[in-house]
């Protein structure tokens, strides 16, 4: 390549010149400075091709940037042209467009409001409710019945526990009564025996009449003995009765406990299945599902209507040969509100002015780099041709 051969020749001339110069200059302080400046010159000679390539890359980069800015500038200009078309619509053309835009604006607001709603049901819960929607009313009803029945069983267990306690207390009291009666009978027998012996001793030794006291003592002892015997028999019957009734209460309690366990398992299974603690929570969960299902159905209808009116709006705007009819779906408010349209137009004009300034700045930079590159073109072969093509593209871009 020509530029590479020229670069090698420059290096050869440099080293020849350096050798001659160092041989001509005498030994001294000047040789140090001459070596320094010749070293700088060598660096410039070495990087000269790299500088040229770097200029080419920078010009290409600026060209690409300018082309992107120019495309955006043309797009903004097209949008301003679309606004002018909307402003110049006839009444007959404007009426269906504004009607569609009004629906799109309202439906988009409804859709946005729905998306802001915080749903309490997770996707898993909602999916489970949706799958078992037909069964849930019956499940809730049975769960309430089971919980009520479970409460009754708990009351029965409490009652039977009280019965057991009552019969246990009766048995304890009866045992205590038997113990007292036994002690009383022993004491009574001891007293009667002592009194009878004293009466006999008195009648034998002291010739005291003892028949009447002995008769009265026997009568009193008989009455007390009958009373003790009756109380003892009553206590025995109460013990037997307490044992029978307590065993019956235990048997009933066992049967009730079996029913309680079965019913508790059924309630726990249902609560665990739907991740609730009781029927009231499941009822609230089902009501929440119904509410969210209505909201989602309304959201689906809103999306369908929004899609329909969006397509209608695009259809009417496309008839006016607009640059981009779809973009007006996001700016439906500007079609029905002149203030919104004026604000949108103002923003686009400011944006276009800003882009124009960037394009002019980019072109000035490219022009400066083009002049610098043209100075190096006479030393280049293939790159010189590429540079000419780049300059032609830049000149075409300047005609915006």
């Amino acid at each position: 390549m020509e530029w590479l051969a020229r670069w090698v020749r420059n290096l050869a001339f440099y080293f020849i010149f350096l050798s001659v110069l160092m041989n001509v200059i005498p030994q001294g302080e000047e040789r140090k400075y001459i070596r320094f400046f010749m070293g700088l010159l060598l660096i410039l000679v070495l990087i000269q091709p790299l500088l040229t390539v770097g200029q080419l890359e920078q010009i290409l980069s600026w060209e690409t940037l300018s082309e992107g800015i120019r495309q955006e500038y043309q797009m903004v200009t097209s949008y301003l042209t679309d606004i002018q078309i909307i402003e110049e619509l006839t009444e007959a053309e404007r009426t269906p467009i504004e009607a569609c835009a009004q629906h799109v604006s309202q439906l988009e607001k409804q859709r946005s409001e729905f998306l802001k709603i915080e749903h309490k049901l997770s996707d898993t819960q909602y999916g489970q409710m949706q799958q078992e929607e037909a069964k849930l009313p019956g499940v809730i009803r049975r769960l309430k019945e089971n919980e009520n029945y479970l409460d009754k069983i708990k009351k029965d267990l409490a009652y039977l526990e009280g019965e057991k306690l009552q019969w246990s207390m009766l048995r304890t009291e009866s045992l205590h009564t038997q113990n007292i009666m036994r002690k009383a009978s022993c004491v009574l027998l001891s007293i009667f025996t002592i009194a009878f012996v004293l009466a006999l001793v008195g009648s034998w030794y002291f010739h005291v009449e003892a028949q009447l006291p002995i008769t009265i003592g026997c009568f009193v002892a008989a009455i007390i003995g009958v009373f003790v015997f009756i109380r003892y028999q009553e206590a025995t019957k109460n013990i037997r009765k307490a044992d029978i009734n307590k065993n019956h209460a235990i048997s009933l309690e066992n049967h009730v406990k079996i029913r309680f366990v079965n019913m508790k398992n059924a309630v726990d299974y249902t609560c665990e299945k739907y991740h609730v603690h009781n029927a009231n929570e499941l009822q609230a969960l089902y009501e929440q599902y119904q509410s969210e299902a209505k909201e989602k159905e309304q959201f689906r209808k809103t999306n369908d209507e929004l899609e329909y009116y969006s397509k209608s709006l695009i259809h009417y705007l496309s008839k006016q040969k607009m640059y981009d009819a779809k973009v007006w779906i996001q700016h439906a408010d500007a079609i029905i509100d002149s203030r919104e349209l004026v604000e949108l137009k103002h923003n686009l004009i400011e944006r276009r002015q800003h882009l124009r300034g960037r394009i002019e700045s980019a072109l000035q930079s490219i022009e400066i780099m083009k002049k610098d590159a043209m100075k190096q073109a006479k030393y280049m072969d293939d790159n010189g041709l590429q540079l000419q093509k780049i300059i032609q593209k830049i000149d075409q871009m300047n005609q915006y």
Side-chain angles (χ1 to χ4, degrees):
M1 296 171 62
E2 181 64 26
W3 68 273
L4 182 58
R6 187 181 300 275
W7 182 56
V8 173
R9 287 199 301 268
N10 290 338
L11 287 174
F13 291 152
Y14 168 80
F15 286 112
I16 293 172
F17 176 73
L18 179 61
S19 299
V20 173
L21 185 62
M22 297 306 293
N23 289 326
V24 172
I25 297 176
Q27 295 291 336
E29 188 69 22
E30 295 83 2
R31 291 176 65 90
K32 181 173 64 174
Y33 296 105
I34 291 174
R35 284 181 179 275
F36 174 74
F37 288 112
M38 291 303 291
L40 294 177
L41 182 60
L42 176 61
I43 293 174
L44 293 176
V45 172
L46 289 173
I47 67 173
Q48 190 270 338
L50 299 178
L51 292 175
T52 303
V53 174
Q55 286 179 337
L56 291 175
E57 292 179 351
Q58 194 171 10
I59 291 173
L60 289 173
S61 176
W62 276 99
E63 177 192 359
T64 303
L65 176 62
S66 300
E67 186 66 24
I69 297 173
R70 186 164 186 258
Q71 291 177 359
E72 185 178 356
Y73 179 88
Q74 292 174 348
M75 182 179 64
V76 172
T77 302
S78 300
Y79 286 152
L80 288 171
T81 303
D82 290 348
I83 291 177
Q84 185 176 0
I85 293 174
I86 293 175
E87 291 176 339
E88 295 176 355
L89 290 174
T90 63
E91 189 65 27
E93 295 171 337
R94 182 181 296 275
T95 300
I97 292 176
E98 287 187 348
C100 292
Q102 183 72 33
H103 285 94
V104 169
S105 178
Q106 292 178 352
L107 292 171
E108 188 63 39
K109 290 178 181 178
Q110 293 177 6
R111 185 174 179 274
S112 299
E113 289 297 326
F114 175 82
L115 294 175
K116 292 179 182 177
I117 297 176
E118 182 178 356
H119 299 290
K120 296 181 179 180
L121 294 180
S122 64
D123 294 339
T124 303
Q125 288 178 318
Y126 186 88
Q128 184 183 24
M129 292 288 176
Q130 191 175 28
Q131 290 178 356
E132 304 186 13
E133 183 176 5
K135 302 178 182 179
L136 277 171
V139 172
I140 295 173
R141 177 179 53 79
R142 287 193 298 273
L143 182 59
K144 287 182 177 180
E145 292 175 354
N146 292 340
E147 287 181 345
N148 292 332
Y149 187 62
L150 200 61
D151 290 337
K152 292 180 180 178
I153 292 177
K154 289 179 180 179
K155 292 180 181 178
D156 291 342
L157 287 174
Y159 173 78
L160 291 174
E161 191 65 30
E163 285 286 314
K164 286 169 52 181
L165 180 62
Q166 180 181 355
W167 293 118
S168 296
M169 292 176 61
L170 178 61
R171 189 177 191 283
T172 302
E173 291 176 356
S174 299
L175 289 173
H176 182 65
T177 301
Q178 280 186 334
N179 188 31
I180 291 175
M181 292 301 103
R182 279 195 296 269
K183 291 179 179 180
S185 62
C186 292
V187 171
L188 179 63
L189 180 61
S190 299
I191 293 173
F192 178 77
T193 301
I194 294 171
F196 183 76
V197 171
L198 291 175
L200 290 178
V201 171
S203 62
W204 288 344
Y205 289 97
F206 299 102
H207 304 285
V208 178
E209 184 65 26
Q211 184 177 2
L212 181 61
I214 292 174
T215 302
I216 294 172
C218 290
F219 180 75
V220 172
I223 293 174
I224 295 174
V226 170
F227 173 77
V228 170
F229 178 76
I230 292 174
R231 287 300 306 273
Y232 188 86
Q233 290 298 320
E234 288 180 354
T236 302
K237 291 180 180 178
N238 288 336
I239 291 173
R240 190 179 299 112
K241 181 180 179 181
D243 290 338
I244 293 172
N245 290 332
K246 182 179 180 181
N247 292 332
H248 181 66
I250 292 174
S251 178
L252 289 176
E253 185 180 33
N254 291 334
H255 289 293
V256 173
K257 282 182 177 179
I258 293 174
R259 285 185 294 166
F260 175 81
V261 171
N262 293 334
M263 192 59 60
K264 187 70 167 58
N265 289 336
V267 171
D268 290 343
Y269 171 76
T270 304
C271 292
E272 184 177 355
K273 180 180 179 180
Y274 295 99
H275 307 287
V276 294
H277 296 93
N278 50 53
N280 292 331
E281 287 189 13
L282 183 57
Q283 179 70 34
L285 198 65
Y286 179 63
E287 292 174 357
Q288 181 66 31
Y289 162 75
Q290 289 180 316
S291 175
E292 292 189 11
K294 291 179 181 178
E295 291 175 354
K296 289 191 175 184
E297 179 63 21
Q298 183 62 38
F299 180 71
R300 185 190 64 78
K301 292 181 180 179
T302 300
N303 282 338
D304 293 341
E305 294 179 4
L306 180 61
E307 183 179 2
Y308 169 76
Y309 285 109
S310 296
K311 290 181 178 179
S312 300
L313 181 60
I314 293 173
H315 172 71
Y316 286 120
L317 292 175
S318 298
K319 286 184 177 181
Q320 305 300 322
K321 297 180 179 180
M322 301 183 70
Y323 168 72
D324 187 2
K326 294 182 180 180
V327 76
W328 289 100
I329 300 299
Q330 308 298 327
H331 300 285
D333 291 337
I335 297 178
I336 59 180
D337 190 348
S338 59
R339 293 173 298 180
E340 292 284 343
L341 188 63
V342 170
E343 183 177 356
L344 180 60
K345 183 178 180 180
H346 176 70
N347 293 335
L348 288 174
I349 290 174
E350 288 186 345
R351 179 61 179 168
R352 186 170 67 170
Q353 291 175 349
H354 177 68
L355 291 173
R356 183 188 292 273
R358 291 183 62 187
I359 291 173
E360 292 176 353
S361 176
L363 291 177
Q364 290 176 0
S365 299
I366 292 172
E367 188 66 26
I368 293 173
M369 288 185 290
K370 182 181 68 173
K371 292 178 180 180
D372 293 339
M374 289 298 294
K375 293 179 181 180
Q376 304 294 332
K378 59 183 179 179
Y379 301 111
M380 302 167 60
D381 186 7
D382 295 339
N383 287 340
L385 295 176
Q386 184 180 3
L387 181 58
Q388 291 177 1
K389 292 179 181 179
I390 294 172
I391 293 173
Q392 290 176 359
K393 290 183 180 180
I394 294 173
D395 293 337
Q396 292 175 1
M397 187 183 67
N398 290 334
Q399 299 174 0
Y400 67 91

